[in-house]
Amino acid sequence: MANLHYLVYVLLILTVSATDQQRRTTFIVRVQNDAKPSVFLTHKHWYDSTLAAVSEQNLLSSRIIHTYETVFHGFSAKLSAVEASKLESASGVLSVIPEQVRHLHTTRSPEFLGLKTSDSAGLLKESDFGSDLVIGVLDTGIWPERESFNDKGLGPVPIKWKGKCVSSGSFPATSCNRKLIGAKYFSAGYEATNGKMNETIEHRSPRDSDGHGTHTASIAAGRYVFPASTLGYARGVAAGMAPKARLAAYKVCWTAGCFDSDILAAFDSAVSDGVDVISLSVGGVVVPYYLDAIAIGAFGASDHGVFVSASAGNGGPGGLTVTNIAPWVTTVGAGAIDRDFPADVKLGNGKLIPGVSVYGGPALVHHRLYPLIYAGNEGGDGYSASLCLEGSLDPKSVRGKIVLCDRGINSRAAKGEVVKKAGGIGMILANGVFDGEGLVADCHVLPATSIGASSGDEIRRYIQSATKSKSPPKATIIFKGTRINVRPAPVVASFSARGPNPESPEILKPDLIAPGLNILAAWPDKVGPSGLASDNRKTEFNILSGTSMACPHVSGLAALLKAAHPEWSPAAIKSALITTAYTLDNRGETMIDESTGNSSTAMDFGAGHVHPQKAMDPGLVYDISSYDYVDFLCNSNYTTKNIQVITRKHADCSRAKKAGHTGNLNFPSMTAVFQQYGKRKMSTHFIRTVTNVGEPKSVYTVRITPPRGMNVTVEPMKLAFRRVGQKLNYLVRVKVKAMKLSAGSSVTKSGSIEWSDGKHVVRSPVLVTMQEPL
């Protein structure tokens, strides 16, 4: 065949065809750059020809799922195992990769971040609130009628915009306006695996039937809305980070999840449409970057100058849980703001146990105590009952009582529904040991509150002792509404995923944290605030928690920074956010880890908590080009084939390997990993280049805070800039002595390097991990 010398990239996705129940294999086939042979009239013509070479049947066009043109050249299609095998062994096929299904990482935050509308100067003013910037949100769609998406006072749609509003029965063309300037949906990959969607519960349109996408979009760029609250909680003005930025919604998530072929199609479309920022509150397991459709799509976006932020995941507080870890993605963990919703438990022995809740219905009587039981003690299957799973509770034991349930398996709100159906009048939801002391407020369907793991143990002990005595266990829940100016804040949310980076230990992830706990934002009609099908309550706003909520804070801030500094690359914007992040809370102490109450570390918060006003004027930035990332991948021992799958670029790895190691990517943080192997002394170095974006004539001096017991030096110790845009290099040397460690264990210590000219402080975390191999 004439086209065999053209390289093809293939992503292999195992699915089951809903039509014939045969195992089918869905491919994402990538062609090198735009190398369509001239014998073919169109890319589609060429793709059909490629399929024809391996096909067992003639239904070619019906099996093409998506075609990709911008961040990725190629197509996705369904093939049998035999066809896949033929294609895999064909000349020019680069790789065959299993697809993944991704899942969602589920208006005080602007004020907490220092973004006040009354400021005469500052980031909102400098950037005109982001009015010419477009944020693409890849999520569950959008509910366009929400006041957060009104276009009052906005100018015309930016001239560069090429996107469109895809209309359908449930989403007329009038759903878009000068605020929501684009809306599309991508379901072909989802339906290739799951069969035709059930349109009685899902919208075949950009309309949001879940709530998650509406919530994240309004966090990134919601307009000012007053009054705003959820069931009376968090009253005030609701606002997104970039209130005048334009929004484009790309619906990629459905009831069964978010499929790689659809996500990649949305990346492709968003970049082609002209977005400036992509916000992705979705994730999955960690795989090498050349097997990761999100990493590949994000690289293509970054290569086109588009900033990509993604949620770190909700797998915390355990280590190695962070996802979306490619260095060209800004990976966002979650922190708490200085607001909470206390709902305390009062026990029969007079003890008050702290809890949190967003419950807006009729409350329990404060001065009256109600019978209290632990579901796991009440006969039947103790384990299922302890978790308050569907059908596990005995109404005879539960009726008229407050029930203590353990977290796990079903959703927190669903446990309350189970208790309510069994006749319970209230619920106390206790964290497991792994959840620690982190508390998440939920919109419950009955009087309910969440408590920490140690408090759960205390209540179980009380129930046990009271049951043995003559005074049976009793309790009530006291709802205290909204409390602000909470100290300490911020804290690292217990659920926020933690480092180290499982794929590239030398790249610190998460990059930073942003508000992600109990965040108020827009919510659709037809979805109750608890998210349960039986919940018929309506609210214009809802309070949710997750790194899903933290990510769009950074997406909106990136749009403001891009508006204020149109010449900045995605890496420069990321650098500004990282080097100006802070690590001290509102008491002046290191932020605490909500799960333990102890000080948190860079593995929990990355560089720290985002600080928008300082990020606008960072002084120096660490810039990174697409070819720097290619060198990084070379030094990560990726093959030239793997690198081409990710970057579409031919890599000369001999030059890159001479130039250094993975730690020499011009990243704003520095992480060294030493394998001891019996060595007594070890050392490494980092080379960094900083670009002056501050004053023309400025002299920066360095302040080194080395990790405890380790030696860090910087050369030179002074950087003198003559002009804006000038680049200067410096060298960091790290020397360590072996530590006593048991086989297979490791220890990480952190310090920092700060460059200051008296006005700016440019801070880089320095982490050193010592490992004793097995």
PDB file of all heavy atoms in Angstrom, residues 361-392:
ATOM      1  N   GLY A 361     -33.196  21.121  56.637  1.00  0.00           N
ATOM      2  CA  GLY A 361     -34.580  20.738  56.957  1.00  0.00           C
ATOM      3  C   GLY A 361     -34.893  20.983  58.416  1.00  0.00           C
ATOM      4  O   GLY A 361     -34.136  21.624  59.138  1.00  0.00           O
ATOM      5  N   PRO A 362     -36.018  20.450  58.882  1.00  0.00           N
ATOM      6  CA  PRO A 362     -36.377  20.607  60.300  1.00  0.00           C
ATOM      7  C   PRO A 362     -35.311  19.941  61.166  1.00  0.00           C
ATOM      8  O   PRO A 362     -34.952  18.786  60.942  1.00  0.00           O
ATOM      9  CB  PRO A 362     -37.723  19.883  60.440  1.00  0.00           C
ATOM     10  CG  PRO A 362     -38.110  19.433  59.064  1.00  0.00           C
ATOM     11  CD  PRO A 362     -36.976  19.672  58.124  1.00  0.00           C
ATOM     12  N   ALA A 363     -34.786  20.687  62.120  1.00  0.00           N
ATOM     13  CA  ALA A 363     -33.693  20.175  62.966  1.00  0.00           C
ATOM     14  C   ALA A 363     -34.256  19.373  64.135  1.00  0.00           C
ATOM     15  O   ALA A 363     -35.457  19.399  64.412  1.00  0.00           O
ATOM     16  CB  ALA A 363     -32.863  21.341  63.480  1.00  0.00           C
ATOM     17  N   LEU A 364     -33.357  18.661  64.800  1.00  0.00           N
ATOM     18  CA  LEU A 364     -33.724  17.964  66.036  1.00  0.00           C
ATOM     19  C   LEU A 364     -33.844  19.000  67.155  1.00  0.00           C
ATOM     20  O   LEU A 364     -33.243  20.072  67.085  1.00  0.00           O
ATOM     21  CB  LEU A 364     -32.650  16.937  66.398  1.00  0.00           C
ATOM     22  CG  LEU A 364     -32.391  15.860  65.334  1.00  0.00           C
ATOM     23  CD1 LEU A 364     -31.205  14.994  65.729  1.00  0.00           C
ATOM     24  CD2 LEU A 364     -33.624  14.990  65.132  1.00  0.00           C
ATOM     25  N   VAL A 365     -34.600  18.658  68.162  1.00  0.00           N
ATOM     26  CA  VAL A 365     -34.774  19.580  69.294  1.00  0.00           C
ATOM     27  C   VAL A 365     -33.501  19.551  70.141  1.00  0.00           C
ATOM     28  O   VAL A 365     -33.078  18.485  70.604  1.00  0.00           O
ATOM     29  CB  VAL A 365     -35.997  19.163  70.144  1.00  0.00           C
ATOM     30  CG1 VAL A 365     -36.186  20.128  71.313  1.00  0.00           C
ATOM     31  CG2 VAL A 365     -37.254  19.123  69.285  1.00  0.00           C
ATOM     32  N   HIS A 366     -32.876  20.728  70.340  1.00  0.00           N
ATOM     33  CA  HIS A 366     -31.572  20.790  71.037  1.00  0.00           C
ATOM     34  C   HIS A 366     -31.636  20.237  72.456  1.00  0.00           C
ATOM     35  O   HIS A 366     -30.745  19.521  72.894  1.00  0.00           O
ATOM     36  CB  HIS A 366     -31.067  22.240  71.121  1.00  0.00           C
ATOM     37  CG  HIS A 366     -30.566  22.745  69.797  1.00  0.00           C
ATOM     38  ND1 HIS A 366     -29.909  23.922  69.644  1.00  0.00           N
ATOM     39  CD2 HIS A 366     -30.649  22.213  68.550  1.00  0.00           C
ATOM     40  CE1 HIS A 366     -29.603  24.112  68.365  1.00  0.00           C
ATOM     41  NE2 HIS A 366     -30.059  23.082  67.687  1.00  0.00           N
ATOM     42  N   HIS A 367     -32.708  20.614  73.182  1.00  0.00           N
ATOM     43  CA  HIS A 367     -32.740  20.259  74.610  1.00  0.00           C
ATOM     44  C   HIS A 367     -33.257  18.833  74.836  1.00  0.00           C
ATOM     45  O   HIS A 367     -33.336  18.381  75.964  1.00  0.00           O
ATOM     46  CB  HIS A 367     -33.600  21.266  75.401  1.00  0.00           C
ATOM     47  CG  HIS A 367     -34.978  21.417  74.834  1.00  0.00           C
ATOM     48  ND1 HIS A 367     -35.291  22.388  73.905  1.00  0.00           N
ATOM     49  CD2 HIS A 367     -36.115  20.708  75.051  1.00  0.00           C
ATOM     50  CE1 HIS A 367     -36.587  22.275  73.580  1.00  0.00           C
ATOM     51  NE2 HIS A 367     -37.102  21.263  74.250  1.00  0.00           N
ATOM     52  N   ARG A 368     -33.590  18.141  73.738  1.00  0.00           N
ATOM     53  CA  ARG A 368     -34.076  16.773  73.895  1.00  0.00           C
ATOM     54  C   ARG A 368     -33.031  15.799  73.378  1.00  0.00           C
ATOM     55  O   ARG A 368     -32.406  16.039  72.346  1.00  0.00           O
ATOM     56  CB  ARG A 368     -35.375  16.614  73.095  1.00  0.00           C
ATOM     57  CG  ARG A 368     -35.989  15.247  73.286  1.00  0.00           C
ATOM     58  CD  ARG A 368     -37.246  15.073  72.470  1.00  0.00           C
ATOM     59  NE  ARG A 368     -37.463  13.640  72.266  1.00  0.00           N
ATOM     60  CZ  ARG A 368     -38.251  13.133  71.346  1.00  0.00           C
ATOM     61  NH1 ARG A 368     -38.891  13.927  70.521  1.00  0.00           N
ATOM     62  NH2 ARG A 368     -38.412  11.831  71.236  1.00  0.00           N
ATOM     63  N   LEU A 369     -32.820  14.694  74.094  1.00  0.00           N
ATOM     64  CA  LEU A 369     -31.882  13.670  73.633  1.00  0.00           C
ATOM     65  C   LEU A 369     -32.678  12.499  73.051  1.00  0.00           C
ATOM     66  O   LEU A 369     -33.739  12.132  73.576  1.00  0.00           O
ATOM     67  CB  LEU A 369     -30.997  13.196  74.789  1.00  0.00           C
ATOM     68  CG  LEU A 369     -30.033  14.258  75.341  1.00  0.00           C
ATOM     69  CD1 LEU A 369     -29.283  13.722  76.551  1.00  0.00           C
ATOM     70  CD2 LEU A 369     -29.050  14.719  74.278  1.00  0.00           C
ATOM     71  N   TYR A 370     -32.138  11.906  71.969  1.00  0.00           N
ATOM     72  CA  TYR A 370     -32.817  10.837  71.243  1.00  0.00           C
ATOM     73  C   TYR A 370     -32.035   9.538  71.410  1.00  0.00           C
ATOM     74  O   TYR A 370     -30.806   9.560  71.568  1.00  0.00           O
ATOM     75  CB  TYR A 370     -32.903  11.186  69.747  1.00  0.00           C
ATOM     76  CG  TYR A 370     -33.684  12.462  69.460  1.00  0.00           C
ATOM     77  CD1 TYR A 370     -33.064  13.704  69.572  1.00  0.00           C
ATOM     78  CD2 TYR A 370     -35.027  12.411  69.094  1.00  0.00           C
ATOM     79  CE1 TYR A 370     -33.772  14.873  69.314  1.00  0.00           C
ATOM     80  CE2 TYR A 370     -35.734  13.571  68.827  1.00  0.00           C
ATOM     81  CZ  TYR A 370     -35.102  14.806  68.951  1.00  0.00           C
ATOM     82  OH  TYR A 370     -35.807  15.967  68.698  1.00  0.00           O
ATOM     83  N   PRO A 371     -32.717   8.394  71.345  1.00  0.00           N
ATOM     84  CA  PRO A 371     -31.998   7.120  71.445  1.00  0.00           C
ATOM     85  C   PRO A 371     -30.927   7.019  70.353  1.00  0.00           C
ATOM     86  O   PRO A 371     -31.152   7.433  69.207  1.00  0.00           O
ATOM     87  CB  PRO A 371     -33.087   6.061  71.239  1.00  0.00           C
ATOM     88  CG  PRO A 371     -34.374   6.763  71.519  1.00  0.00           C
ATOM     89  CD  PRO A 371     -34.168   8.206  71.179  1.00  0.00           C
ATOM     90  N   LEU A 372     -29.763   6.462  70.706  1.00  0.00           N
ATOM     91  CA  LEU A 372     -28.603   6.394  69.812  1.00  0.00           C
ATOM     92  C   LEU A 372     -28.143   4.947  69.679  1.00  0.00           C
ATOM     93  O   LEU A 372     -28.002   4.240  70.692  1.00  0.00           O
ATOM     94  CB  LEU A 372     -27.471   7.250  70.405  1.00  0.00           C
ATOM     95  CG  LEU A 372     -26.090   7.159  69.759  1.00  0.00           C
ATOM     96  CD1 LEU A 372     -26.097   7.761  68.348  1.00  0.00           C
ATOM     97  CD2 LEU A 372     -25.057   7.894  70.626  1.00  0.00           C
ATOM     98  N   ILE A 373     -27.921   4.497  68.436  1.00  0.00           N
ATOM     99  CA  ILE A 373     -27.381   3.143  68.231  1.00  0.00           C
ATOM    100  C   ILE A 373     -26.222   3.198  67.235  1.00  0.00           C
ATOM    101  O   ILE A 373     -26.133   4.130  66.426  1.00  0.00           O
ATOM    102  CB  ILE A 373     -28.450   2.151  67.702  1.00  0.00           C
ATOM    103  CG1 ILE A 373     -28.990   2.629  66.333  1.00  0.00           C
ATOM    104  CG2 ILE A 373     -29.566   1.931  68.701  1.00  0.00           C
ATOM    105  CD1 ILE A 373     -29.792   1.557  65.588  1.00  0.00           C
ATOM    106  N   TYR A 374     -25.350   2.199  67.318  1.00  0.00           N
ATOM    107  CA  TYR A 374     -24.328   1.988  66.287  1.00  0.00           C
ATOM    108  C   TYR A 374     -24.848   0.884  65.373  1.00  0.00           C
ATOM    109  O   TYR A 374     -25.129  -0.227  65.828  1.00  0.00           O
ATOM    110  CB  TYR A 374     -22.999   1.600  66.921  1.00  0.00           C
ATOM    111  CG  TYR A 374     -21.929   1.178  65.920  1.00  0.00           C
ATOM    112  CD1 TYR A 374     -21.687   1.916  64.764  1.00  0.00           C
ATOM    113  CD2 TYR A 374     -21.165   0.030  66.144  1.00  0.00           C
ATOM    114  CE1 TYR A 374     -20.719   1.530  63.848  1.00  0.00           C
ATOM    115  CE2 TYR A 374     -20.181  -0.360  65.234  1.00  0.00           C
ATOM    116  CZ  TYR A 374     -19.967   0.387  64.087  1.00  0.00           C
ATOM    117  OH  TYR A 374     -19.008   0.006  63.175  1.00  0.00           O
ATOM    118  N   ALA A 375     -25.003   1.201  64.086  1.00  0.00           N
ATOM    119  CA  ALA A 375     -25.630   0.262  63.154  1.00  0.00           C
ATOM    120  C   ALA A 375     -24.925  -1.090  63.144  1.00  0.00           C
ATOM    121  O   ALA A 375     -25.557  -2.139  62.976  1.00  0.00           O
ATOM    122  CB  ALA A 375     -25.653   0.864  61.749  1.00  0.00           C
ATOM    123  N   GLY A 376     -23.613  -1.102  63.334  1.00  0.00           N
ATOM    124  CA  GLY A 376     -22.845  -2.355  63.292  1.00  0.00           C
ATOM    125  C   GLY A 376     -23.130  -3.292  64.450  1.00  0.00           C
ATOM    126  O   GLY A 376     -22.751  -4.460  64.413  1.00  0.00           O
ATOM    127  N   ASN A 377     -23.803  -2.802  65.500  1.00  0.00           N
ATOM    128  CA  ASN A 377     -24.112  -3.647  66.668  1.00  0.00           C
ATOM    129  C   ASN A 377     -25.474  -4.308  66.578  1.00  0.00           C
ATOM    130  O   ASN A 377     -25.814  -5.130  67.419  1.00  0.00           O
ATOM    131  CB  ASN A 377     -24.137  -2.794  67.959  1.00  0.00           C
ATOM    132  CG  ASN A 377     -22.763  -2.291  68.331  1.00  0.00           C
ATOM    133  OD1 ASN A 377     -21.767  -2.782  67.818  1.00  0.00           O
ATOM    134  ND2 ASN A 377     -22.713  -1.306  69.229  1.00  0.00           N
ATOM    135  N   GLU A 378     -26.270  -3.929  65.551  1.00  0.00           N
ATOM    136  CA  GLU A 378     -27.695  -4.262  65.585  1.00  0.00           C
ATOM    137  C   GLU A 378     -28.049  -5.508  64.783  1.00  0.00           C
ATOM    138  O   GLU A 378     -28.868  -5.472  63.886  1.00  0.00           O
ATOM    139  CB  GLU A 378     -28.522  -3.066  65.096  1.00  0.00           C
ATOM    140  CG  GLU A 378     -28.355  -1.822  65.934  1.00  0.00           C
ATOM    141  CD  GLU A 378     -28.779  -2.036  67.388  1.00  0.00           C
ATOM    142  OE1 GLU A 378     -29.859  -2.601  67.604  1.00  0.00           O
ATOM    143  OE2 GLU A 378     -28.027  -1.628  68.296  1.00  0.00           O
ATOM    144  N   GLY A 379     -27.407  -6.622  65.058  1.00  0.00           N
ATOM    145  CA  GLY A 379     -27.779  -7.899  64.428  1.00  0.00           C
ATOM    146  C   GLY A 379     -27.529  -7.915  62.934  1.00  0.00           C
ATOM    147  O   GLY A 379     -26.962  -7.003  62.354  1.00  0.00           O
ATOM    148  N   GLY A 380     -27.962  -8.981  62.246  1.00  0.00           N
ATOM    149  CA  GLY A 380     -27.811  -9.103  60.795  1.00  0.00           C
ATOM    150  C   GLY A 380     -26.338  -9.135  60.402  1.00  0.00           C
ATOM    151  O   GLY A 380     -25.476  -9.561  61.166  1.00  0.00           O
ATOM    152  N   ASP A 381     -26.073  -8.686  59.185  1.00  0.00           N
ATOM    153  CA  ASP A 381     -24.704  -8.613  58.695  1.00  0.00           C
ATOM    154  C   ASP A 381     -24.064  -7.362  59.271  1.00  0.00           C
ATOM    155  O   ASP A 381     -24.279  -6.255  58.790  1.00  0.00           O
ATOM    156  CB  ASP A 381     -24.703  -8.565  57.154  1.00  0.00           C
ATOM    157  CG  ASP A 381     -23.301  -8.408  56.580  1.00  0.00           C
ATOM    158  OD1 ASP A 381     -22.356  -8.237  57.374  1.00  0.00           O
ATOM    159  OD2 ASP A 381     -23.156  -8.434  55.356  1.00  0.00           O
ATOM    160  N   GLY A 382     -23.285  -7.538  60.321  1.00  0.00           N
ATOM    161  CA  GLY A 382     -22.706  -6.404  61.048  1.00  0.00           C
ATOM    162  C   GLY A 382     -21.913  -5.467  60.160  1.00  0.00           C
ATOM    163  O   GLY A 382     -21.995  -4.252  60.303  1.00  0.00           O
ATOM    164  N   TYR A 383     -21.155  -6.041  59.185  1.00  0.00           N
ATOM    165  CA  TYR A 383     -20.290  -5.191  58.350  1.00  0.00           C
ATOM    166  C   TYR A 383     -21.127  -4.295  57.444  1.00  0.00           C
ATOM    167  O   TYR A 383     -20.936  -3.083  57.403  1.00  0.00           O
ATOM    168  CB  TYR A 383     -19.344  -6.053  57.513  1.00  0.00           C
ATOM    169  CG  TYR A 383     -18.479  -5.252  56.578  1.00  0.00           C
ATOM    170  CD1 TYR A 383     -17.493  -4.400  57.076  1.00  0.00           C
ATOM    171  CD2 TYR A 383     -18.657  -5.322  55.198  1.00  0.00           C
ATOM    172  CE1 TYR A 383     -16.706  -3.637  56.224  1.00  0.00           C
ATOM    173  CE2 TYR A 383     -17.874  -4.570  54.340  1.00  0.00           C
ATOM    174  CZ  TYR A 383     -16.900  -3.726  54.850  1.00  0.00           C
ATOM    175  OH  TYR A 383     -16.127  -2.986  53.999  1.00  0.00           O
ATOM    176  N   SER A 384     -22.101  -4.875  56.731  1.00  0.00           N
ATOM    177  CA  SER A 384     -22.956  -4.071  55.845  1.00  0.00           C
ATOM    178  C   SER A 384     -23.742  -3.047  56.642  1.00  0.00           C
ATOM    179  O   SER A 384     -23.893  -1.890  56.215  1.00  0.00           O
ATOM    180  CB  SER A 384     -23.940  -4.965  55.088  1.00  0.00           C
ATOM    181  OG  SER A 384     -23.251  -5.809  54.211  1.00  0.00           O
ATOM    182  N   ALA A 385     -24.253  -3.465  57.803  1.00  0.00           N
ATOM    183  CA  ALA A 385     -25.044  -2.553  58.628  1.00  0.00           C
ATOM    184  C   ALA A 385     -24.174  -1.417  59.164  1.00  0.00           C
ATOM    185  O   ALA A 385     -24.617  -0.263  59.217  1.00  0.00           O
ATOM    186  CB  ALA A 385     -25.692  -3.313  59.779  1.00  0.00           C
ATOM    187  N   SER A 386     -22.937  -1.725  59.527  1.00  0.00           N
ATOM    188  CA  SER A 386     -22.060  -0.679  60.061  1.00  0.00           C
ATOM    189  C   SER A 386     -21.832   0.414  59.031  1.00  0.00           C
ATOM    190  O   SER A 386     -21.654   1.578  59.369  1.00  0.00           O
ATOM    191  CB  SER A 386     -20.717  -1.273  60.502  1.00  0.00           C
ATOM    192  OG  SER A 386     -19.946  -1.673  59.381  1.00  0.00           O
ATOM    193  N   LEU A 387     -21.858   0.029  57.743  1.00  0.00           N
ATOM    194  CA  LEU A 387     -21.666   0.993  56.655  1.00  0.00           C
ATOM    195  C   LEU A 387     -22.996   1.587  56.173  1.00  0.00           C
ATOM    196  O   LEU A 387     -23.003   2.414  55.264  1.00  0.00           O
ATOM    197  CB  LEU A 387     -20.964   0.313  55.471  1.00  0.00           C
ATOM    198  CG  LEU A 387     -19.526  -0.141  55.729  1.00  0.00           C
ATOM    199  CD1 LEU A 387     -19.064  -1.099  54.650  1.00  0.00           C
ATOM    200  CD2 LEU A 387     -18.595   1.060  55.817  1.00  0.00           C
ATOM    201  N   CYS A 388     -24.118   1.124  56.767  1.00  0.00           N
ATOM    202  CA  CYS A 388     -25.456   1.584  56.368  1.00  0.00           C
ATOM    203  C   CYS A 388     -25.661   1.442  54.863  1.00  0.00           C
ATOM    204  O   CYS A 388     -26.051   2.390  54.161  1.00  0.00           O
ATOM    205  CB  CYS A 388     -25.696   3.025  56.834  1.00  0.00           C
ATOM    206  SG  CYS A 388     -25.660   3.165  58.638  1.00  0.00           S
ATOM    207  N   LEU A 389     -25.381   0.222  54.363  1.00  0.00           N
ATOM    208  CA  LEU A 389     -25.596  -0.071  52.944  1.00  0.00           C
ATOM    209  C   LEU A 389     -27.075  -0.351  52.707  1.00  0.00           C
ATOM    210  O   LEU A 389     -27.807  -0.722  53.632  1.00  0.00           O
ATOM    211  CB  LEU A 389     -24.753  -1.277  52.518  1.00  0.00           C
ATOM    212  CG  LEU A 389     -23.231  -1.146  52.715  1.00  0.00           C
ATOM    213  CD1 LEU A 389     -22.516  -2.394  52.193  1.00  0.00           C
ATOM    214  CD2 LEU A 389     -22.685   0.084  52.002  1.00  0.00           C
ATOM    215  N   GLU A 390     -27.479  -0.195  51.456  1.00  0.00           N
ATOM    216  CA  GLU A 390     -28.887  -0.395  51.078  1.00  0.00           C
ATOM    217  C   GLU A 390     -29.394  -1.741  51.581  1.00  0.00           C
ATOM    218  O   GLU A 390     -28.766  -2.780  51.357  1.00  0.00           O
ATOM    219  CB  GLU A 390     -29.007  -0.332  49.545  1.00  0.00           C
ATOM    220  CG  GLU A 390     -30.439  -0.391  49.028  1.00  0.00           C
ATOM    221  CD  GLU A 390     -31.261   0.829  49.392  1.00  0.00           C
ATOM    222  OE1 GLU A 390     -30.753   1.967  49.292  1.00  0.00           O
ATOM    223  OE2 GLU A 390     -32.421   0.628  49.785  1.00  0.00           O
ATOM    224  N   GLY A 391     -30.534  -1.731  52.299  1.00  0.00           N
ATOM    225  CA  GLY A 391     -31.176  -2.963  52.761  1.00  0.00           C
ATOM    226  C   GLY A 391     -30.526  -3.613  53.970  1.00  0.00           C
ATOM    227  O   GLY A 391     -30.938  -4.696  54.386  1.00  0.00           O
ATOM    228  N   SER A 392     -29.523  -2.966  54.570  1.00  0.00           N
ATOM    229  CA  SER A 392     -28.786  -3.633  55.664  1.00  0.00           C
ATOM    230  C   SER A 392     -29.349  -3.335  57.051  1.00  0.00           C
ATOM    231  O   SER A 392     -29.002  -3.998  58.018  1.00  0.00           O
ATOM    232  CB  SER A 392     -27.310  -3.195  55.635  1.00  0.00           C
ATOM    233  OG  SER A 392     -27.204  -1.819  55.957  1.00  0.00           O
TER     234      SER A 392
END
